[in-house]
């Protein structure tokens, strides 16, 4: 464990320290400032999470990596006689989550600033744990999901949205192809913490079984992300994303200009009357605590 600092959540596992720093720094600030944009980008997958979670009126729900809390608030509305607790390691995102939940007048939400891998949740306190693209970041996924399992009652349900491998996610392939400007980029590993940390079904089954879950099931969700209303709007959104900023940072001015033009052209190719839509593929993962 590392000692708490103003930048870090209490009790952050050393293996999550870099991730906690990122989500409490520029990445978290960006997500908090543009929460509506991020919500809109992945909204096509929201109904699948609701279906997988099957939240009942009196359920006590834990939302792992809740960010600005959109899925926590949806859970709270689905459980008017229950409660939804969002846990996240990012202070700026939790501030936004609390602000939005108060504005919505929701009395049955709570937000906890913590590393979900190690936070001492009350044992068996929840009927269902959900996560909308927020559970792929554990430095030790078996420990993280075992901690979530302990927070669930025996027989409690787990429902996650995660990304399928990069090769099936055109939106990120396009960003990488255009902004790499010909540089070879390493493939994101499918069993390391990050957006593709739960992309490999065999890895997911191994992790969840070792963490105390059974009946693990993955449903492929083909879909699209909506990057903006039109090309300009999408260009503004994409160029502020962490991966895009990272790639642009290493380019000289001329190469950067050409790469940005290529990105803009690629986004324009995907402009539709419903916005700029690029292919995406997620998993809906369900399991039960043994
Ligand atoms: C891709 S964002 C998704 C946020 C939110 N679920 C949504 O759909 O908008 C990933 C979230 O996981 C959180 N996170 C990463 N590692 C975490 C950890 N160990 N414990 C709790 N939250 C974590 C981040 O702070 C971030 O808010």
């Amino acid at each position: 464990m590392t000692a708490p600092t103003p930048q870090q959540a209490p009790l952050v596992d050393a293996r999550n320290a870099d991730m906690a720093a990122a989500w409490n720094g520029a990445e978290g600030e960006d997500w908090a400032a543009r929460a509506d944009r991020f919500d809109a980008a992945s909204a096509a997958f929201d109904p699948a999470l609701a279906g997988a979670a099957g939240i009942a009126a009196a359920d006590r729900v834990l939302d792992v990596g809740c960010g600005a809390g959109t899925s926590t608030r949806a859970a709270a509305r689905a459980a008017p006689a229950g409660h939804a607790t969002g846990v996240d390691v990012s202070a700026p995102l939790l501030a936004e989550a609390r602000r939005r939940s108060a504005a919505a007048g929701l009395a049955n939400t709570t937000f906890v600033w913590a590393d979900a891998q190690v936070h001492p949740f009350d044992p068996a306190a929840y009927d269902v744990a959900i996560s909308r693209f927020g559970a792929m970041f554990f430095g030790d996924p078996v420990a993280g999901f075992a901690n979530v399992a302990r927070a669930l009652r025996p027989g409690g349900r787990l429902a996650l949205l995660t990304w399928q491998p990069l090769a099936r996610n055109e939106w990120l392939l396009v960003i990488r192809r255009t902004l790499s400007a010909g540089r070879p980029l390493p493939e994101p590993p499918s069993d390391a913490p990050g957006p593709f940390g739960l992309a490999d079904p065999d890895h997911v089954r191994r992790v969840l079984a070792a963490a105390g879950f059974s009946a693990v099931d993955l449903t492929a969700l083909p879909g699209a992300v909506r990057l903006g209303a039109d090309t300009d709007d999408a260009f503004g959104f994409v160029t502020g994303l962490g991966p895009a900023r990272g790639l642009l940072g290493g380019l000289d001015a001329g190469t950067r200009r050409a790469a940005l033009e290529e990105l803009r052209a690629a986004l324009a190719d995907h402009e539709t009357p419903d916005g700029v839509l690029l292919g995406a593929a997620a998993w809906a993962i369900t399991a039960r605590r043994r």
Side-chain angles (χ1 to χ4, degrees), residues 10 19 61 65 92 109 145 148 159 167 203 241 253 259 271-272 278 286-287:
M19 207 56 90
V61 184
T109 58
F145 281 105
V148 172
H203 174 67
L241 294 177
E271 188 173 323
T272 76
L278 275 80
T286 53

Side-chain angles (χ1 to χ4, degrees), residues 16 23 31 65-67 88-90 93 114-116 132-134 137-138:
N16 294 329
W23 287 107
W31 275 69
C66 66
D88 202 286
V89 80
S90 168
L93 275 163
D115 175 354
R132 192 182 76 164
F133 301 111
F137 302 93
F138 294 135

